[in-house]
Amino acid sequence: MKKENGIISLIVLFIMLFLLIFTLTIYSIISDKEKIQISKDIEIKQMYSKNENEIERNLYAESDSIIPIYNVNEFKNIGTGSYSEINGKIYQCSINKSYELQNNIIVDVNEDLSSVNIGFYDYKFYSDTYNIDKSIYDYYYFYNNLYWKAIVYQKFDKNSELIKSDIYENNKFSILNKYNFRSSELEFLYIIKNEKGEIISIYQDEQPIIPRNLESINVFKNHINELDTSKGEFYILVKDNM
């Protein structure tokens, strides 16, 4: 009887030892898997962090990069400090940057200029504040199957007096005394907008004499009474054979 009890105890002891070894083995395997998984997670995070940094470096242009300009929406961001994505690169369009036109900027009078989102930006070419290379391309308006250049613009806000001299800013612009009129057969476009920036009238007229001041532009002089000098705005464009 004692012999049988000893054999049973020995069997139980072996079983318990086996279970202990099995449990420890399983624990070790699970622990190793967790360590491997943690190590992989760290490697993945490091890899993604590296990729994100690399993507960010590739996405954002260098601070001294020349900013290419292709359209009027990109042009209007010049000097605003806003970020603009151009051809897969993100540029900050601040004042101290250099800009280069990549093609002629065309503003469609009927479609673009009638939108309150498109204002007057030609003055940026003439102001020393902005460094814009227009040695090859330029900024034009398109109307009635012709191309035009802005020579006068004024938006009335605090001052109701008409432009008397050359000035380049957001609300006043005149290059009458600096524009190179290349033909004696001139044609002018006079655009009147209301306080909301909506076009209310467009007049087109030919003129054989080069104007020396605003009042000597016939199409403007003939329709000056329609202009609201308290809250309106107007453009005067000249036909340009681009």
Side-chain angles (χ1 to χ4, degrees):
M1 188 69 176
K2 289 181 179 180
K3 187 177 180 179
E4 291 176 356
N5 288 338
I7 293 172
I8 292 172
S9 297
L10 189 60
I11 292 171
V12 170
L13 182 61
F14 274 114
I15 292 173
M16 291 179 66
L17 184 60
F18 173 77
L19 290 175
L20 179 61
I21 294 172
F22 178 78
T23 302
L24 291 173
T25 302
I26 295 299
Y27 175 79
S28 178
I29 292 172
I30 293 173
S31 178
D32 288 343
K33 284 185 175 181
E34 288 181 351
K35 288 179 182 178
I36 292 171
Q37 186 61 45
I38 290 172
S39 178
K40 285 184 177 179
D41 289 343
I42 292 173
E43 287 180 6
I44 290 172
K45 287 180 180 178
Q46 289 175 343
M47 182 180 68
Y48 273 107
S49 176
K50 183 179 180 181
N51 288 342
E52 286 177 0
N53 292 334
E54 187 175 345
I55 289 171
E56 186 171 338
R57 284 196 301 270
N58 291 332
L59 190 60
Y60 284 84
E62 298 291 335
S63 59
D64 59 349
S65 297
I66 297 176
I67 302 177
I69 300 297
Y70 291 87
N71 55 57
V72 66
N73 288 314
E74 294 169 357
F75 191 92
K76 74 177 183 179
N77 286 333
I78 292 177
T80 62
S82 61
Y83 287 90
S84 181
E85 182 176 354
I86 305 172
N87 283 354
K89 286 279 188 180
I90 295 178
Y91 299 87
Q92 186 177 16
C93 301
S94 52
I95 289 177
N96 60 345
K97 299 294 180 66
S98 296
Y99 301 85
E100 185 178 80
L101 300 189
Q102 301 300 306
N103 47 242
N104 288 322
I105 306 299
I106 307 298
V107 177
D108 189 296
V109 171
N110 289 324
E111 295 182 9
D112 300 325
L113 201 61
S114 60
S115 168
V116 293
N117 297 320
I118 299 296
F120 178 74
Y121 307 109
D122 294 41
Y123 76 95
K124 292 181 179 181
F125 277 133
Y126 304 90
S127 172
D128 294 334
T129 305
Y130 308 95
N131 182 16
I132 307 172
D133 181 0
K134 62 165 189 172
S135 57
I136 300 176
Y137 302 107
D138 210 331
Y139 194 102
Y140 296 94
Y141 295 82
F142 183 75
Y143 179 77
N144 202 16
N145 292 321
L146 297 171
Y147 290 95
W148 309 76
K149 288 289 297 177
I151 54 173
V152 179
Y153 167 81
Q154 186 165 3
K155 182 176 183 179
F156 299 100
D157 45 8
K158 298 177 182 178
N159 190 348
S160 61
E161 293 184 3
L162 291 170
I163 297 172
K164 296 298 181 182
S165 60
D166 293 331
I167 188 168
Y168 322 125
E169 60 181 54
N170 196 17
N171 288 345
K172 293 181 181 180
F173 174 80
S174 175
I175 55 170
L176 268 175
N177 296 325
K178 294 187 176 181
Y179 184 78
N180 181 23
F181 292 97
R182 293 186 289 254
S183 171
S184 59
E185 297 179 0
L186 302 174
E187 192 164 355
F188 291 93
L189 199 66
Y190 176 38
I191 302 171
I192 304 174
K193 301 178 77 174
N194 60 21
E195 59 181 321
K196 296 180 181 179
E198 301 165 334
I199 295 176
I200 56 176
S201 298
I202 299 179
Y203 298 101
Q204 182 176 344
D205 198 6
E206 295 180 352
Q207 179 172 324
I209 302 173
I210 294 177
R212 298 303 176 191
N213 53 51
L214 187 59
E215 287 78 4
S216 62
I217 300 176
N218 291 337
V219 70
F220 175 78
K221 181 174 62 177
N222 294 337
H223 301 279
I224 190 172
N225 293 333
E226 300 178 37
L227 183 63
D228 186 347
T229 57
S230 63
K231 53 187 176 182
E233 62 183 295
F234 73 93
Y235 293 74
I236 295 181
L237 312 178
V238 62
K239 184 176 70 173
D240 191 284
N241 299 318
M242 57 179 292

